[in-house]
């Protein structure tokens, strides 16, 4: 069964129900913790009463700097929302690890961003080096992936679309809320990955709700494709795509065809004028809640609850 690990300013903790037990380790980074699994197992076996989880302030369980790589359009429902038809070639992009933030830290909308969007994603945390040319199969996936985390791939849509800037649009500080838990998996847990259900709500309204069965390119294949050109190391992070239900959706086909005839500046001005009527984009005061778990709770990554604020309202 998976073991949930929490990180705070005081160090690492193993979560057991509503209590947490400190991990006696010198590990500071996620990679160092993964190299000291014996300490994690010792904490998990402890009979001490522990500390209430509610009394702890969780930090991102993935420490930075690290590589943060993401898959693009990797759920069938998201592909439909995005207007894709037919086969979708696998694609990856990078995010700055400086965008990684804690599971309760506010998402800060930059002053120039109007169309702020959410994307719940399952994050794979690497537990072993992935050299270029590695072939990963389902049977040896546990040799490379140590654990799972909840990720919100926050996106500034006007930056992403008008400038074709995935890196910038998804890399502002606080644009990668991570955690609360790093779920360290046992080999037998990997057979349950497709049962994981991703749910994201904004102010209590359910926006995204799919299992990994909706995924197009699954983790083993994704790592094989990525390793054609990218090395990964322990503690690095792969975001595996988001299901349908984001605020951004492709316009109807007829409108899209008309837009294709317009100069880019005119097309995007018209598109975002229509998007201004969409109430699903994030605003200051919103609260995003995200969970990922199997129905039986065998794997449960906890609940990520992040408020949204504007840059000029962000406390200094």
């Amino acid at each position: 069964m998976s073991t949930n690990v929490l990180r705070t300013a005081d160090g690492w903790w193993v979560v057991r129900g509503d209590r947490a037990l400190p991990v006696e380790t010198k590990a500071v980074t996620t990679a160092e913790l993964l190299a000291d699994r014996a300490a994690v197992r010792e904490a998990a076996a402890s009979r001490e009463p522990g500390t209430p989880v509610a009394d702890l302030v969780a930090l991102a369980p993935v420490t930075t700097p690290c590589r943060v790589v993401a898959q693009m359009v990797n759920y069938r429902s998201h592909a439909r929302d995005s207007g894709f038809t037919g086969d979708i070639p696998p694609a990856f992009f990078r995010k700055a690890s400086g965008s990684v933030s804690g599971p309760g830290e506010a998402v800060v909308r930059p002053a120039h961003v109007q169309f702020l969007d959410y994307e719940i994603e399952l994050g794979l945390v690497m537990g072993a080096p992935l050299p270029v040319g590695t072939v990963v199969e389902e049977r040896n996936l546990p040799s490379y992936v140590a654990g799972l985390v909840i990720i919100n791939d926050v996106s500034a849509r006007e930056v992403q679309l008008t400038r074709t800037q995935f890196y910038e649009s998804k890399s502002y500080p606080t644009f990668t809320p991570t955690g609360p838990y790093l779920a360290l998996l046992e080999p037998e847990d990997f057979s349950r990955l497709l049962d994981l259900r991703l749910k994201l709500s904004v102010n209590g309204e359910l926006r995204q709700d799919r299992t990994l069965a909706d995924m197009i390119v699954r983790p083993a294949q994704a790592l094989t494709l990525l390793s054609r050109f990218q090395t990964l190391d322990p503690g690095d992070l792969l975001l595996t795509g988001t299901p349908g239900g984001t605020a951004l959706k492709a316009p109807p086909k007829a409108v899209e065809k008309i837009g294709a005839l317009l100069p880019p500046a005119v097309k995007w001005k018209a598109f975002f004028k229509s998007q201004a009527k969409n109430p699903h984009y994030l605003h200051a005061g919103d609260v995003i809640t995200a969970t990922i778990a199997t129905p039986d709770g065998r794997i449960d990554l906890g609940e990520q609850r992040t408020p949204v604020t504007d840059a000029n309202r962000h406390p200094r």
Side-chain angles (χ1 to χ4, degrees):
M1 187 170 180
S2 63
T3 302
N4 283 344
V5 177
L6 185 75
R7 185 171 75 97
T8 72
D10 295 322
W12 300 92
W13 306 72
V14 165
V15 177
R16 193 169 61 199
D18 61 355
R19 314 287 290 189
L21 291 301
V23 180
E24 298 300 329
T25 179
K26 295 181 180 179
V28 175
T29 68
T30 303
E32 291 169 344
L33 180 75
L34 296 176
D36 195 6
R37 289 288 287 266
V40 174
R41 293 189 180 97
E42 184 176 343
S46 172
R47 296 187 178 182
E48 294 297 320
T51 299
V53 173
D55 291 347
L56 301 175
V57 178
L59 304 177
V62 177
T63 56
T64 57
C66 65
R67 296 183 183 92
V68 181
V69 185
Q71 291 176 258
M72 184 172 69
V73 192
N74 196 38
Y75 280 72
R76 294 175 183 86
S77 54
H78 186 51
R80 288 192 296 271
D81 282 357
S82 302
F84 288 94
T85 58
D87 293 336
I88 302 170
F92 300 91
F93 60 90
R94 289 284 295 269
K95 294 188 67 158
S97 67
S99 66
V100 172
S101 54
E105 189 175 344
V107 172
V108 180
R109 182 176 70 167
H112 64 282
V113 173
Q114 181 179 356
F115 300 99
L116 190 69
D117 209 348
Y118 49 85
E119 294 187 8
I120 186 173
E121 306 209 9
L122 177 70
L124 307 183
V125 180
M126 302 303 295
L130 184 81
V132 169
T134 302
V135 176
V136 181
E137 300 176 351
E138 296 294 337
R139 61 179 176 81
N140 66 351
L141 185 60
S143 299
Y144 296 99
V145 175
L148 311 174
V149 288
I150 299 172
I151 300 289
N152 186 357
D153 179 22
V154 179
S155 306
R157 294 303 193 191
E158 63 266 63
V159 176
Q160 177 187 343
L161 297 178
T162 62
R163 305 181 201 169
T164 61
Q165 266 288 357
F166 275 76
Y167 186 69
E168 179 183 345
S169 68
K170 294 168 175 283
S171 289
Y172 294 100
T174 74
F175 271 32
T176 312
T178 303
Y181 302 148
L182 166 58
L184 298 177
L185 303 185
E186 299 298 331
E188 61 270 19
D189 294 323
F190 285 81
S191 65
R192 304 298 308 280
L193 290 186
L194 295 187
D195 296 332
L196 287 168
R197 181 170 289 278
L198 288 68
K199 290 185 176 183
L200 181 143
S201 300
V202 179
N203 302 329
E205 178 189 1
L206 185 63
R207 301 280 182 85
Q208 294 182 278
D209 183 8
R210 286 291 192 283
T211 69
L212 261 66
D214 189 36
M215 189 178 278
I216 298 170
V217 177
R218 295 176 181 174
Q221 183 186 1
L223 289 173
T224 299
L225 294 170
L226 185 60
S227 72
R228 292 181 302 181
F229 60 91
Q230 173 73 73
T231 296
L232 293 178
D233 291 311
D236 286 344
L237 185 59
L238 173 63
L239 282 59
T240 55
T242 195
T246 60
L248 178 68
K249 290 179 175 59
K253 289 296 180 184
V255 175
E256 189 175 354
K257 289 180 179 179
I258 294 172
L261 301 175
L262 300 173
V266 176
K267 177 183 72 173
W268 289 123
K269 182 177 180 180
F271 176 75
F272 283 110
K273 183 178 181 180
S274 69
Q275 289 295 294
K277 303 173 185 176
N278 182 345
H280 283 179
Y281 287 103
L282 298 169
H283 301 89
D286 288 343
V287 176
I288 311 162
T289 305
T291 60
I292 300 178
T294 57
D296 61 2
R298 182 183 178 90
I299 305 174
D300 187 340
L301 309 188
E303 181 182 84
Q304 182 182 110
R305 189 174 176 85
T306 50
V308 180
T309 187
D310 289 339
N312 58 358
R313 300 183 186 180
H314 192 53
R316 296 183 179 181

